[in-house]
Amino acid sequence: MMRQLSWSAVDDDDPRLLQAAFALLVTLDLAFRIQGGARWDLVSWPVFAVVLLAVVTAATLLLPWDRMPSVMLGVLAVLDIAVIGTGRLSPEGSSIAILLLLPALWLGRYGAVRGAVVCFLAVGLFQALPGLVYGELAGANLSRSVLPALVAVGATVAKASAVQAIGRQQRMSDAIFDTVDVGLVLLGRDGTYERMNRRHEEFMRVGYPDGHDGVAGQTGAVFEEDGSTPLARELTPTFRAMTGEEFDDCRLWIGTDPRNRRAISVSARTVRDEQGDFAGAVLAYKDVTDFMGALRVKDEFVASVSHELRTPLTSITGYVQILQERDDLPEQAASQLGVVARNGDRLLRLIGDLLHAAQADASGPQLERSHTDLAVIVRDSVEAASPAAEAAGVVLELTAPPRLPMCADPRRIGQVVDNLLSNAVKYSHRDGRVQVSLALDGDRAQLEVQDGGIGISSADRDRLFTRFFRTRSAAESTIPGVGLGLSITKEIVEAHGGRIEVESVLGTGSVFRVRLPLER
Ligand code: ADP
């Protein structure tokens, strides 16, 4: 069964504990009095008090408090006041009246007025009245009978106002947590679900139609980002959070019914106690179904549009190439054809990038590995980039060994080098210099492309390899680009088992470094 938990559920004080503490203190008072020489007849008020205490305490321990109406706690408090009132009716006197504070505080739960009235009546009947009848209506006895009664009523009122203030706060925070459109869960130190808001209860009903036992790591109708692989226990967000892991945007699907299954993005943060030890975790579940749907539609749209564009464009650039090969063209027409060819190539590259980005999610880049020579690939790329560099007034320098054989997809690796080179040239200043160096580093090849261009701020560096991201300075400049090249470059490098990193200083220049294993 699913546990119904409110975000601000606060356990009531356990009456069994309260009564046990009370009984212990009364027993202590009796012990002190007997040790001081008190001797009571079998039929006397103190003995009556002991019997009453024993009966009330035994009943408290036996009663099923989780099913008891709250008025029973009031009855318990009144009986305890009776124990105190009768218990002090003995010639040697007693300071047990101080214990009135305990039942008086419990009565505070009934509200300021109701609690105070019950307390006043009970204390008046069982404490003040017998005291005054039994003893004198003056002096110390008057004071002993009346003052504790007044203090008890005051304690009830104080407790009642504190309870009301806390209740108000709780209702407010409950309202806030139930209003937010994000599912919230608080896990305890041992992984039990301690609190959850209403939104999360809805998610739980979809993800766990057969119920949830309220402990982290339960599997159910919960699937990985692909929507079909059931999520293993170790991958469930609650299980991961219980290992102390903190994460954002962990995507998964809940539910099996296509009409109501949801895509969820989960974040987790650890809760620590005063000593800094793990004390639980908070998880936030955000419904991203519409966002995922929009992403899918966008990718499908981009993929189909790119296909439709590529076919006619390939034919245009092909015919332009044939035209360029003719030697009877007027000089002006030849230069104009050059512009058409360059822009056609640019469009083809852009379409290729868009298509790649749209398809990358599903399968990642497909590699066709073969034994190839990285030195040749890099030299070809530098040669191909030379006209653009020359036009931009940038000098290209290459340092590379004559050969660097490796197992890789030559077309894809060529795309990596082309992207890095074209960026280095694009983002360089006129009269700038781009240095390309290729070297062997153990069982890895290392390629560095260094420029002295506009550079990248440290804030932008983390997002550089994200699709469609452009730095502010690039976006504000007239330098063309859409922010796809680096994300594709990173995917290709990682698909080869390599790594790409960047060092850069804004306004000074950048170094992009790629490390690729030679064999895999
Ligand atoms: P594009 O160049 O088409 O915008 P990329 O994915 O290749 O896309 O690069 C992403 C962003 O990274 C660029 O828009 C630019 O802001 C920044 N960037 C890439 N290379 C460099 C570089 N060598 N110098 C400065 N900024 C760069």
Side-chain angles (χ1 to χ4, degrees), residues 423-424 426-427 451 454-456 464 469-471 474 480-487 510 512:
N423 278 351
K426 259 193 327 189
Y427 299 109
D451 67 67
I454 62 174
I456 301 152
L464 214 54
F469 174 77
R470 302 200 74 201
T471 63
V482 286
L484 279 174
L486 281 183
S487 74
S510 320
F512 284 82

PDB file of all heavy atoms in Angstrom, residues 423-424 426-427 451 454-456 464 469-471 474 480-487 510 512, ligand 1:
ATOM      1  N   ASN A 423      36.809  27.041 -36.765  1.00  0.00           N
ATOM      2  CA  ASN A 423      36.552  27.921 -35.612  1.00  0.00           C
ATOM      3  C   ASN A 423      37.760  28.816 -35.318  1.00  0.00           C
ATOM      4  O   ASN A 423      37.626  30.014 -35.090  1.00  0.00           O
ATOM      5  CB  ASN A 423      36.239  27.098 -34.363  1.00  0.00           C
ATOM      6  CG  ASN A 423      34.787  26.650 -34.329  1.00  0.00           C
ATOM      7  OD1 ASN A 423      33.993  27.090 -35.148  1.00  0.00           O
ATOM      8  ND2 ASN A 423      34.463  25.778 -33.399  1.00  0.00           N
ATOM      9  N   ALA A 424      38.960  28.181 -35.296  1.00  0.00           N
ATOM     10  CA  ALA A 424      40.170  28.942 -34.947  1.00  0.00           C
ATOM     11  C   ALA A 424      40.361  30.103 -35.928  1.00  0.00           C
ATOM     12  O   ALA A 424      40.720  31.219 -35.531  1.00  0.00           O
ATOM     13  CB  ALA A 424      41.386  28.023 -34.960  1.00  0.00           C
ATOM     14  N   LYS A 426      37.868  31.431 -37.882  1.00  0.00           N
ATOM     15  CA  LYS A 426      36.702  32.331 -37.770  1.00  0.00           C
ATOM     16  C   LYS A 426      36.831  33.294 -36.595  1.00  0.00           C
ATOM     17  O   LYS A 426      36.503  34.468 -36.690  1.00  0.00           O
ATOM     18  CB  LYS A 426      35.435  31.483 -37.539  1.00  0.00           C
ATOM     19  CG  LYS A 426      34.601  31.271 -38.737  1.00  0.00           C
ATOM     20  CD  LYS A 426      33.210  30.718 -38.464  1.00  0.00           C
ATOM     21  CE  LYS A 426      33.005  29.779 -37.315  1.00  0.00           C
ATOM     22  NZ  LYS A 426      31.662  29.156 -37.302  1.00  0.00           N
ATOM     23  N   TYR A 427      37.286  32.750 -35.451  1.00  0.00           N
ATOM     24  CA  TYR A 427      37.306  33.567 -34.228  1.00  0.00           C
ATOM     25  C   TYR A 427      38.669  34.234 -33.987  1.00  0.00           C
ATOM     26  O   TYR A 427      38.939  34.703 -32.900  1.00  0.00           O
ATOM     27  CB  TYR A 427      36.859  32.723 -33.025  1.00  0.00           C
ATOM     28  CG  TYR A 427      35.439  32.214 -33.204  1.00  0.00           C
ATOM     29  CD1 TYR A 427      35.176  30.871 -33.439  1.00  0.00           C
ATOM     30  CD2 TYR A 427      34.372  33.102 -33.193  1.00  0.00           C
ATOM     31  CE1 TYR A 427      33.875  30.416 -33.646  1.00  0.00           C
ATOM     32  CE2 TYR A 427      33.068  32.657 -33.401  1.00  0.00           C
ATOM     33  CZ  TYR A 427      32.831  31.314 -33.624  1.00  0.00           C
ATOM     34  OH  TYR A 427      31.542  30.888 -33.835  1.00  0.00           O
ATOM     35  N   ASP A 451      44.746  29.347 -31.176  1.00  0.00           N
ATOM     36  CA  ASP A 451      44.587  30.629 -31.871  1.00  0.00           C
ATOM     37  C   ASP A 451      44.771  31.773 -30.892  1.00  0.00           C
ATOM     38  O   ASP A 451      44.760  31.580 -29.685  1.00  0.00           O
ATOM     39  CB  ASP A 451      43.204  30.708 -32.552  1.00  0.00           C
ATOM     40  CG  ASP A 451      42.072  30.758 -31.549  1.00  0.00           C
ATOM     41  OD1 ASP A 451      41.956  31.751 -30.824  1.00  0.00           O
ATOM     42  OD2 ASP A 451      41.295  29.764 -31.475  1.00  0.00           O
ATOM     43  N   ILE A 454      39.397  35.740 -30.204  1.00  0.00           N
ATOM     44  CA  ILE A 454      38.559  36.457 -29.228  1.00  0.00           C
ATOM     45  C   ILE A 454      38.495  35.758 -27.867  1.00  0.00           C
ATOM     46  O   ILE A 454      38.158  36.373 -26.868  1.00  0.00           O
ATOM     47  CB  ILE A 454      37.118  36.680 -29.768  1.00  0.00           C
ATOM     48  CG1 ILE A 454      36.423  35.334 -30.036  1.00  0.00           C
ATOM     49  CG2 ILE A 454      37.129  37.511 -31.030  1.00  0.00           C
ATOM     50  CD1 ILE A 454      34.950  35.488 -30.425  1.00  0.00           C
ATOM     51  N   GLY A 455      38.793  34.448 -27.829  1.00  0.00           N
ATOM     52  CA  GLY A 455      38.818  33.726 -26.554  1.00  0.00           C
ATOM     53  C   GLY A 455      37.414  33.463 -26.007  1.00  0.00           C
ATOM     54  O   GLY A 455      36.404  33.913 -26.558  1.00  0.00           O
ATOM     55  N   ILE A 456      37.379  32.720 -24.889  1.00  0.00           N
ATOM     56  CA  ILE A 456      36.100  32.282 -24.306  1.00  0.00           C
ATOM     57  C   ILE A 456      36.169  32.508 -22.797  1.00  0.00           C
ATOM     58  O   ILE A 456      37.161  32.145 -22.151  1.00  0.00           O
ATOM     59  CB  ILE A 456      35.891  30.774 -24.584  1.00  0.00           C
ATOM     60  CG1 ILE A 456      35.882  30.510 -26.095  1.00  0.00           C
ATOM     61  CG2 ILE A 456      34.618  30.256 -23.948  1.00  0.00           C
ATOM     62  CD1 ILE A 456      36.348  29.142 -26.477  1.00  0.00           C
ATOM     63  N   LEU A 464      30.192  25.125 -23.770  1.00  0.00           N
ATOM     64  CA  LEU A 464      30.712  25.249 -25.126  1.00  0.00           C
ATOM     65  C   LEU A 464      30.314  24.087 -26.037  1.00  0.00           C
ATOM     66  O   LEU A 464      30.094  24.263 -27.227  1.00  0.00           O
ATOM     67  CB  LEU A 464      32.238  25.290 -25.028  1.00  0.00           C
ATOM     68  CG  LEU A 464      32.982  26.129 -26.015  1.00  0.00           C
ATOM     69  CD1 LEU A 464      32.469  27.537 -26.000  1.00  0.00           C
ATOM     70  CD2 LEU A 464      34.469  26.109 -25.697  1.00  0.00           C
ATOM     71  N   PHE A 469      24.770  26.276 -28.649  1.00  0.00           N
ATOM     72  CA  PHE A 469      25.313  27.316 -27.766  1.00  0.00           C
ATOM     73  C   PHE A 469      26.364  28.128 -28.506  1.00  0.00           C
ATOM     74  O   PHE A 469      27.253  27.571 -29.162  1.00  0.00           O
ATOM     75  CB  PHE A 469      25.930  26.689 -26.506  1.00  0.00           C
ATOM     76  CG  PHE A 469      26.610  27.720 -25.653  1.00  0.00           C
ATOM     77  CD1 PHE A 469      25.861  28.568 -24.849  1.00  0.00           C
ATOM     78  CD2 PHE A 469      27.999  27.878 -25.688  1.00  0.00           C
ATOM     79  CE1 PHE A 469      26.470  29.549 -24.092  1.00  0.00           C
ATOM     80  CE2 PHE A 469      28.614  28.853 -24.936  1.00  0.00           C
ATOM     81  CZ  PHE A 469      27.858  29.689 -24.140  1.00  0.00           C
ATOM     82  N   ARG A 470      26.237  29.435 -28.395  1.00  0.00           N
ATOM     83  CA  ARG A 470      27.281  30.338 -28.917  1.00  0.00           C
ATOM     84  C   ARG A 470      27.655  31.282 -27.788  1.00  0.00           C
ATOM     85  O   ARG A 470      26.795  31.705 -27.014  1.00  0.00           O
ATOM     86  CB  ARG A 470      26.767  31.154 -30.107  1.00  0.00           C
ATOM     87  CG  ARG A 470      26.268  30.309 -31.262  1.00  0.00           C
ATOM     88  CD  ARG A 470      26.252  31.123 -32.543  1.00  0.00           C
ATOM     89  NE  ARG A 470      27.602  31.322 -33.059  1.00  0.00           N
ATOM     90  CZ  ARG A 470      27.939  32.301 -33.902  1.00  0.00           C
ATOM     91  NH1 ARG A 470      27.046  33.177 -34.286  1.00  0.00           N
ATOM     92  NH2 ARG A 470      29.180  32.418 -34.331  1.00  0.00           N
ATOM     93  N   THR A 471      28.936  31.629 -27.682  1.00  0.00           N
ATOM     94  CA  THR A 471      29.322  32.559 -26.622  1.00  0.00           C
ATOM     95  C   THR A 471      28.727  33.923 -26.962  1.00  0.00           C
ATOM     96  O   THR A 471      28.373  34.188 -28.111  1.00  0.00           O
ATOM     97  CB  THR A 471      30.850  32.712 -26.526  1.00  0.00           C
ATOM     98  OG1 THR A 471      31.310  33.263 -27.757  1.00  0.00           O
ATOM     99  CG2 THR A 471      31.522  31.372 -26.286  1.00  0.00           C
ATOM    100  N   ALA A 474      30.577  35.787 -29.608  1.00  0.00           N
ATOM    101  CA  ALA A 474      30.386  35.266 -30.961  1.00  0.00           C
ATOM    102  C   ALA A 474      29.003  35.646 -31.481  1.00  0.00           C
ATOM    103  O   ALA A 474      28.846  36.070 -32.627  1.00  0.00           O
ATOM    104  CB  ALA A 474      30.546  33.750 -30.962  1.00  0.00           C
ATOM    105  N   PRO A 480      29.636  34.192 -38.775  1.00  0.00           N
ATOM    106  CA  PRO A 480      28.527  33.253 -38.950  1.00  0.00           C
ATOM    107  C   PRO A 480      28.728  31.979 -38.136  1.00  0.00           C
ATOM    108  O   PRO A 480      29.859  31.578 -37.852  1.00  0.00           O
ATOM    109  CB  PRO A 480      28.549  32.945 -40.452  1.00  0.00           C
ATOM    110  CG  PRO A 480      29.946  33.213 -40.876  1.00  0.00           C
ATOM    111  CD  PRO A 480      30.495  34.281 -39.969  1.00  0.00           C
ATOM    112  N   GLY A 481      27.636  31.334 -37.742  1.00  0.00           N
ATOM    113  CA  GLY A 481      27.718  30.083 -36.981  1.00  0.00           C
ATOM    114  C   GLY A 481      26.400  29.811 -36.288  1.00  0.00           C
ATOM    115  O   GLY A 481      25.600  30.728 -36.080  1.00  0.00           O
ATOM    116  N   VAL A 482      26.149  28.531 -35.981  1.00  0.00           N
ATOM    117  CA  VAL A 482      24.896  28.199 -35.294  1.00  0.00           C
ATOM    118  C   VAL A 482      25.145  27.456 -33.984  1.00  0.00           C
ATOM    119  O   VAL A 482      24.213  27.133 -33.259  1.00  0.00           O
ATOM    120  CB  VAL A 482      23.961  27.339 -36.193  1.00  0.00           C
ATOM    121  CG1 VAL A 482      23.337  28.164 -37.267  1.00  0.00           C
ATOM    122  CG2 VAL A 482      24.691  26.134 -36.741  1.00  0.00           C
ATOM    123  N   GLY A 483      26.395  27.147 -33.677  1.00  0.00           N
ATOM    124  CA  GLY A 483      26.683  26.488 -32.391  1.00  0.00           C
ATOM    125  C   GLY A 483      26.497  24.986 -32.416  1.00  0.00           C
ATOM    126  O   GLY A 483      26.161  24.388 -31.393  1.00  0.00           O
ATOM    127  N   LEU A 484      26.721  24.358 -33.579  1.00  0.00           N
ATOM    128  CA  LEU A 484      26.587  22.897 -33.629  1.00  0.00           C
ATOM    129  C   LEU A 484      27.930  22.178 -33.733  1.00  0.00           C
ATOM    130  O   LEU A 484      28.079  21.057 -33.280  1.00  0.00           O
ATOM    131  CB  LEU A 484      25.734  22.499 -34.846  1.00  0.00           C
ATOM    132  CG  LEU A 484      24.225  22.602 -34.668  1.00  0.00           C
ATOM    133  CD1 LEU A 484      23.522  22.333 -35.977  1.00  0.00           C
ATOM    134  CD2 LEU A 484      23.762  21.621 -33.605  1.00  0.00           C
ATOM    135  N   GLY A 485      28.914  22.881 -34.350  1.00  0.00           N
ATOM    136  CA  GLY A 485      30.192  22.238 -34.683  1.00  0.00           C
ATOM    137  C   GLY A 485      30.853  21.567 -33.494  1.00  0.00           C
ATOM    138  O   GLY A 485      31.247  20.398 -33.560  1.00  0.00           O
ATOM    139  N   LEU A 486      30.952  22.275 -32.360  1.00  0.00           N
ATOM    140  CA  LEU A 486      31.697  21.716 -31.226  1.00  0.00           C
ATOM    141  C   LEU A 486      30.966  20.543 -30.584  1.00  0.00           C
ATOM    142  O   LEU A 486      31.602  19.596 -30.117  1.00  0.00           O
ATOM    143  CB  LEU A 486      31.972  22.802 -30.184  1.00  0.00           C
ATOM    144  CG  LEU A 486      33.143  23.732 -30.513  1.00  0.00           C
ATOM    145  CD1 LEU A 486      33.377  24.717 -29.379  1.00  0.00           C
ATOM    146  CD2 LEU A 486      34.429  22.939 -30.777  1.00  0.00           C
ATOM    147  N   SER A 487      29.620  20.607 -30.559  1.00  0.00           N
ATOM    148  CA  SER A 487      28.904  19.484 -29.941  1.00  0.00           C
ATOM    149  C   SER A 487      29.106  18.227 -30.788  1.00  0.00           C
ATOM    150  O   SER A 487      29.317  17.133 -30.258  1.00  0.00           O
ATOM    151  CB  SER A 487      27.415  19.809 -29.762  1.00  0.00           C
ATOM    152  OG  SER A 487      26.753  19.762 -30.992  1.00  0.00           O
ATOM    153  N   SER A 510      42.530  30.836 -27.631  1.00  0.00           N
ATOM    154  CA  SER A 510      42.088  29.539 -27.120  1.00  0.00           C
ATOM    155  C   SER A 510      42.973  28.413 -27.632  1.00  0.00           C
ATOM    156  O   SER A 510      43.579  28.532 -28.689  1.00  0.00           O
ATOM    157  CB  SER A 510      40.662  29.230 -27.586  1.00  0.00           C
ATOM    158  OG  SER A 510      39.852  30.366 -27.535  1.00  0.00           O
ATOM    159  N   PHE A 512      42.306  24.304 -28.275  1.00  0.00           N
ATOM    160  CA  PHE A 512      41.462  23.100 -28.220  1.00  0.00           C
ATOM    161  C   PHE A 512      42.384  21.899 -28.345  1.00  0.00           C
ATOM    162  O   PHE A 512      43.213  21.849 -29.256  1.00  0.00           O
ATOM    163  CB  PHE A 512      40.426  23.110 -29.348  1.00  0.00           C
ATOM    164  CG  PHE A 512      39.288  24.058 -29.069  1.00  0.00           C
ATOM    165  CD1 PHE A 512      39.413  25.414 -29.328  1.00  0.00           C
ATOM    166  CD2 PHE A 512      38.107  23.593 -28.510  1.00  0.00           C
ATOM    167  CE1 PHE A 512      38.370  26.293 -29.052  1.00  0.00           C
ATOM    168  CE2 PHE A 512      37.060  24.456 -28.238  1.00  0.00           C
ATOM    169  CZ  PHE A 512      37.197  25.816 -28.502  1.00  0.00           C
TER     170      PHE A 512
HETATM  171  P1  ADP B   1      29.681  27.934 -34.321  1.00  0.00           P
HETATM  172  O1  ADP B   1      31.120  28.297 -34.510  1.00  0.00           O
HETATM  173  O2  ADP B   1      29.014  27.480 -35.555  1.00  0.00           O
HETATM  174  O3  ADP B   1      28.903  28.996 -33.623  1.00  0.00           O
HETATM  175  P2  ADP B   1      30.640  25.785 -32.637  1.00  0.00           P
HETATM  176  O4  ADP B   1      29.852  24.697 -31.965  1.00  0.00           O
HETATM  177  O5  ADP B   1      31.742  25.380 -33.495  1.00  0.00           O
HETATM  178  O6  ADP B   1      29.576  26.682 -33.378  1.00  0.00           O
HETATM  179  O7  ADP B   1      31.198  26.690 -31.479  1.00  0.00           O
HETATM  180  C1  ADP B   1      30.339  27.051 -30.448  1.00  0.00           C
HETATM  181  C2  ADP B   1      30.731  28.403 -29.900  1.00  0.00           C
HETATM  182  O8  ADP B   1      31.993  28.278 -29.241  1.00  0.00           O
HETATM  183  C3  ADP B   1      30.970  29.446 -30.954  1.00  0.00           C
HETATM  184  O9  ADP B   1      29.763  30.079 -31.313  1.00  0.00           O
HETATM  185  C4  ADP B   1      31.919  30.382 -30.267  1.00  0.00           C
HETATM  186  O10 ADP B   1      31.180  31.238 -29.440  1.00  0.00           O
HETATM  187  C5  ADP B   1      32.742  29.471 -29.389  1.00  0.00           C
HETATM  188  N1  ADP B   1      34.038  29.107 -29.996  1.00  0.00           N
HETATM  189  C6  ADP B   1      34.338  27.973 -30.653  1.00  0.00           C
HETATM  190  N2  ADP B   1      35.628  27.970 -31.042  1.00  0.00           N
HETATM  191  C7  ADP B   1      36.152  29.131 -30.624  1.00  0.00           C
HETATM  192  C8  ADP B   1      37.456  29.747 -30.726  1.00  0.00           C
HETATM  193  N3  ADP B   1      38.466  29.132 -31.320  1.00  0.00           N
HETATM  194  N4  ADP B   1      37.623  30.961 -30.155  1.00  0.00           N
HETATM  195  C9  ADP B   1      36.596  31.577 -29.514  1.00  0.00           C
HETATM  196  N5  ADP B   1      35.353  31.066 -29.415  1.00  0.00           N
HETATM  197  C10 ADP B   1      35.133  29.865 -29.945  1.00  0.00           C
END
